[in-house]
């Protein structure tokens, strides 16, 4: 298999994963958790005695996957994925959460893109980590404020998303090392 074919196949897999994370995260917020708050989100424990809306894990993963879409398919594909993702973020959620979800998603992914793009020259792992942290903070603040008018779950949101970003680091190191071995250059 040529490097170019591998690039497109992997890019397609990352894009599909990114697209799946978005509606699944919204579905989870309203339906999956250890406790579901009336007129609020379903919550999961994220450690340190904190809870967060259950979609946080998939939102954290989506931030990293968007970076990988850009690495494999290029900036224009990443921008297209963000636009489609904003639309997808209105699905599988209560109408009252659709605007909050889409707005927070769009803002956080744009922040992620603006941080990742220049940093990727310094390395995949550093760029994906820093850009994802920036994006998850924006997403957490915007979503909680727009959806619930409160930042009560902010610490849990940030910790939950950061846990998922940190969990991806071994995979990012592996991808980086394999890319070097294969002579792959980012799109």
């Amino acid at each position: 298999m040529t490097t170019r074919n591998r690039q497109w196949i992997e890019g397609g897999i990352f894009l599909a994963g990114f697209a799946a994370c978005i509606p699944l995260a919204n579905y989870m917020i309203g339906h999956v958790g250890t406790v579901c708050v009336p007129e609020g989100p379903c919550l999961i424990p994220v450690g340190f005695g904190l809870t967060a809306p259950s979609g946080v894990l998939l939102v954290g993963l989506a931030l990293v996957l968007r970076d990988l879409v850009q690495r494999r398919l290029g900036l224009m594909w990443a921008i297209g994925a963000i636009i489609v993702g904003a639309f997808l973020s209105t699905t599988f959620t209560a109408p009252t959460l659709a605007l909050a979800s889409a707005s927070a998603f769009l803002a956080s992914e744009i922040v992620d893109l603006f941080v990742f793009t220049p940093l990727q020259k310094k390395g995949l792992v550093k760029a994906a980590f820093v850009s994802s942290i920036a994006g998850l903070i924006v997403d957490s603040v915007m979503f909680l404020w727009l959806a619930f008018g409160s930042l009560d779950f902010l610490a849990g949101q940030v910790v939950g998303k950061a846990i998922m970003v940190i969990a991806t680091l071994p995979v990012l190191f592996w991808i980086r090392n394999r890319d070097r071995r294969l002579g792959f250059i980012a799109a």
Side-chain angles (χ1 to χ4, degrees):
M1 176 182 307
T2 69
T3 302
R4 185 83 172 139
N5 287 345
R6 176 175 281 140
Q7 176 181 348
W8 281 99
I9 290 168
E10 290 179 10
I13 291 167
F14 296 144
L15 184 60
F18 173 77
C21 282
I22 300 160
L24 202 54
N26 282 347
Y27 175 81
M28 288 177 66
I29 288 170
H31 299 91
V32 177
T34 55
V35 64
C36 292
V37 177
E39 302 301 318
C42 291
L43 305 172
I44 59 169
V46 292
F48 310 105
L50 299 170
T51 59
S54 57
V56 298
L57 300 176
L58 290 173
V59 173
L61 179 59
L63 288 161
V64 174
L65 287 170
R66 201 237 27 102
D67 295 338
L68 292 172
V69 167
Q70 182 174 343
R71 182 167 175 85
R72 289 295 188 255
L73 301 178
L75 182 61
M76 295 313 294
W77 276 91
I79 291 169
I82 291 170
I83 293 166
V84 171
F87 169 75
L88 287 174
S89 68
T90 65
T91 63
F92 297 98
T93 191
T96 56
L97 297 180
L99 177 63
S101 181
S103 299
F105 175 85
L106 192 59
S108 66
E109 290 292 342
I110 288 172
V111 165
D112 184 297
L113 180 127
F114 279 126
V115 173
F116 180 81
T117 300
L119 278 183
Q120 72 175 328
K121 294 177 182 101
K122 297 190 184 291
L124 169 64
V125 177
K126 181 187 294 184
F129 180 75
V130 172
S131 66
S132 295
I133 296 299
L136 71 83
I137 291 169
V138 170
D139 185 77
S140 298
V141 170
M142 281 190 70
F143 178 75
L144 288 172
W145 187 255
L146 292 172
F148 307 113
S150 164
L151 298 178
D152 288 346
F153 298 111
L154 181 60
Q157 281 257 8
V158 170
V159 168
K161 292 171 191 169
I163 286 170
M164 189 53 108
V165 170
I166 291 166
T168 67
L169 290 177
V171 175
L172 291 172
F173 277 110
W174 179 80
I175 289 170
R176 181 202 62 195
N177 292 338
R178 189 187 63 146
D179 286 356
R180 285 179 180 164
R181 190 177 67 251
L182 297 174
F184 176 77
I185 298 170

